[in-house]
Amino acid sequence: MASPAAPPPPVPAGAPGLRATNAGSDGPGRGTVLLMSVAVGLCVAGNYYAQPLLDTIARDLSLPSATASLVVTAAQVGYALGLALVLPLSDLLERRRLVCGLTLATAFSLALTAGAPNAFLLLTGTALTGLLSVTAQVLVPFAADLAAPHRRGRIVGTVMSGLVLGMLLARTASGALAAVGGWRTVYWAAAVAMLALTAALRRVLPRHRGAAGLRYAGLLRSTVRLLVEEPVLRTRAVIGMLAFACFSVLWTAVAFLLSGPGYGWSGGQIGLLGLAGAAGAVAAQLAGRLADRGRTALTTGAGALLLLVSWGLLALGAHHLVALLAGVVLLDLAHQGVHISNQSLIYALRPQARGRVTSAYMTCYFAGGAVGSALVGVVHSLAGWYGVCVLGAVPALLLLLVWLAGIPRLRRWWRRQHRLQELWAVANAAVMASALLLLVALAVRLS
């Protein structure tokens, strides 16, 4: 009788493709998932602390308002660079070490901002914090990698709920801390929190190395190729871009409405509106559970329709606070439902390339938000709050059309409607011509 085969030698921790040995068959434990959710919230919050404090910062450093507003721009530019250049590293490096290194560096960038004596160091610290805040997007695919397939949507939804809360509550928390100890207190407290978070992550997170097998330049090239090679990623990137454009239009424009003559709210009161938007965390949990049951198409369609409906409520919110709050809650619920559905689908595409998949998706997603927020100022100055509501409804309508185009039965029917396709082409040409004329009119008006 042949002797039994010797067991294979143990694979060292951190070897390529290794899953954490302390993660059971269902993936990481509840405590680990909760810590990752808190970490994601704290990392992304660094981009939003300054928004309610710009006037205070400008007075303290004797800066013109235009210079102070560059703090938000610096964070956005830093975040965009991080998505493109830092996030793909999660497919190459050992994940726990990368996450802890990024959170430790974030603590120092926040401290640099807290102690900044002039605009240069303030903007430098803010840009670095924005760059490093992509740690949140490293942690989300990390959680997806650790999760068992049948629980992946639920775990990603839980971690993403931390991101939602971090985005929406950062403004409220920074306003409260600044009222107690000044704007620098906000950044000192955030720096200490990131140091404590680094220690906790170092202790709790398992080791997990990416398996890309590429050099850094090849890693960046392969990120672009993923968009070319994966139709699901392309479609979901467009859907995410349109959904985040709706979200960004609302949260960029709502301060204009609430601080205007109709409401006359203070900055602190406006910051409290983020508490209503925190309902999106509930949608993240629900969408994750539906994704585990294979209901991503249903969740996306419902989210697209609710986004469109929410802008009707927000238009009524120009004079009715209840309608405004209902629109905010509905829009955040719908946006998060669509976003979690997108992530559940794209993370199933190439498990060995989740960092690069996330980088490609989030770069498109962020571009939609940037375009939406950039158009708000022009549209609001020309058409007021109702113009903003039309602006927000346009990407919601486009998202609904993209979703409908993805239904196989409707797609087959559309291919047989040659006359309708001709009319659609004419309509597209008319829309493009109208958009061009609008841009020319805006250029003439602004010149």
Side-chain angles (χ1 to χ4, degrees), residues 67 182 304 377 414:
T67 303
W414 176 254

Side-chain angles (χ1 to χ4, degrees), residues 369-415:
V371 171
S373 61
L375 291 174
V376 163
V378 176
V379 172
H380 187 269
S381 64
L382 293 176
W385 177 251
Y386 293 115
V388 168
C389 290
V390 172
L391 173 65
V394 168
L397 178 60
L398 291 175
L399 197 163
L400 185 60
L401 292 175
V402 170
W403 175 75
L404 288 171
I407 298 176
R409 187 174 299 174
L410 287 177
R411 191 166 59 240
R412 288 194 297 269
W413 175 84
W414 176 254
R415 287 172 181 167

Side-chain angles (χ1 to χ4, degrees), residues 6 10 33 35 44 82 115 124 142 181 215 231 252 287 310 335 337 410 426:
V33 174
L35 176 62
V44 77
T124 300
F142 191 0
R215 294 182 181 273
T252 304
S310 70
H335 164 253
L410 287 177
V426 172

